[in-house]
Amino acid sequence: MNVIIAGAGRLGTQIAQVLAAAHNEVTLIDADDDRVAELEGRIPVRLIAGDACEPTILEHAGALTADLLIATTGDDEDNLVISLLAKRQFSVARVAARCNDADNAWLFDERWGVDVAVPAATPLISLIEEATGATDTVALLRLSKAGVDVIETAITPQSRTAGRALGDVPLPEGTVVATIVRDGQPTVPDPAVRLRPGDEILLVSHNATEQEIHAAFQ
């Protein structure tokens, strides 16, 4: 699946990492040159510095062949403009947009090119599930085109992996760590990173069940 994400904040970066780990082609756009430079080499996605409200930037990002566009900026006006351009000018099949202000929710519909409007407080897994149209699971997100599950687990003070290096945790076959969310920020899943209570781990797997992941970390 060819995915474009507009907005490289915490949410956009997390979504990009999860979808990239599921073997999708992901392009992440942000107007902040410094933010793009900060992410270079840290996440396995194509990065573009520019304003996604500009048609030329969206075209450069591959909007003409995109299967999905997700607008996750912190500005509702920008998300609406990006969605309208994606749907009307580039005929992107599926467009999801984050609604930051509940008072603006009525605008996020097909008139503005939005197929899926997602409130700002929606959990990450639910957001991706709604955006991709994958609704065949509840606890797990199945990306049907990639044939993989995205599974989330949290480290608590009682977890036996708390304090252990990520690389020392035996994972089920066909499973990789997409990202570790620590203090609300996604971090690169380096094997040397020591897990802490409060860490949220997002994993991508072809075979493992939620129970097997829980057993590995808890």
Side-chain angles (χ1 to χ4, degrees), residues 49-207:
D51 186 351
C53 293
E54 295 290 337
T56 53
I57 296 296
L58 287 179
E59 184 171 1
H60 178 53
L64 288 169
T65 57
D67 301 298
L68 168 66
L69 181 141
I70 308 176
T72 67
T73 79
D75 189 316
D76 284 348
E77 292 182 2
D78 286 353
N79 288 341
L80 288 171
V81 170
I82 293 165
S83 297
L84 187 64
L85 285 172
K87 183 65 71 174
R88 299 288 184 262
Q89 185 159 337
F90 297 102
S91 300
V92 176
R94 192 168 182 83
V95 176
R98 179 187 188 186
C99 178
N100 299 280
D101 187 339
D103 290 341
N104 295 330
W106 65 278
L107 291 167
F108 284 71
D109 59 21
E110 67 278 356
R111 293 170 298 173
W112 281 91
V114 178
D115 296 307
V116 179
V118 185
T122 302
L124 175 64
I125 292 295
S126 297
L127 187 153
I128 301 174
E129 185 174 23
E130 290 187 52
T132 59
T135 57
D136 58 326
T137 62
V138 177
L140 308 180
L141 165 67
R142 171 159 292 281
L143 300 176
S144 57
K145 291 189 177 182
V148 296
D149 288 328
V150 176
I151 305 171
E152 182 177 19
T153 190
I155 305 300
T156 70
Q158 291 73 40
S159 301
R160 59 191 180 87
T161 52
R164 293 178 59 184
L166 178 62
D168 292 337
V169 180
L171 298 177
E173 184 178 354
T175 301
V176 297
V177 176
T179 186
I180 302 172
V181 181
R182 176 172 291 172
D183 298 327
Q185 297 295 326
T187 63
V188 177
D190 189 295
V193 171
R194 293 198 172 274
L195 300 176
R196 303 176 185 171
D199 286 349
E200 297 176 40
I201 318 290
L202 293 180
L203 305 99
V204 176
S205 181
H206 289 276
N207 306 305

Side-chain angles (χ1 to χ4, degrees), residues 15-35:
I15 295 171
Q17 288 179 281
V18 170
L19 293 180
H23 307 293
N24 296 285
E25 295 182 13
V26 180
T27 299
L28 183 59
I29 308 171
D30 199 90
D32 187 339
D33 292 354
D34 292 336
R35 176 59 174 166

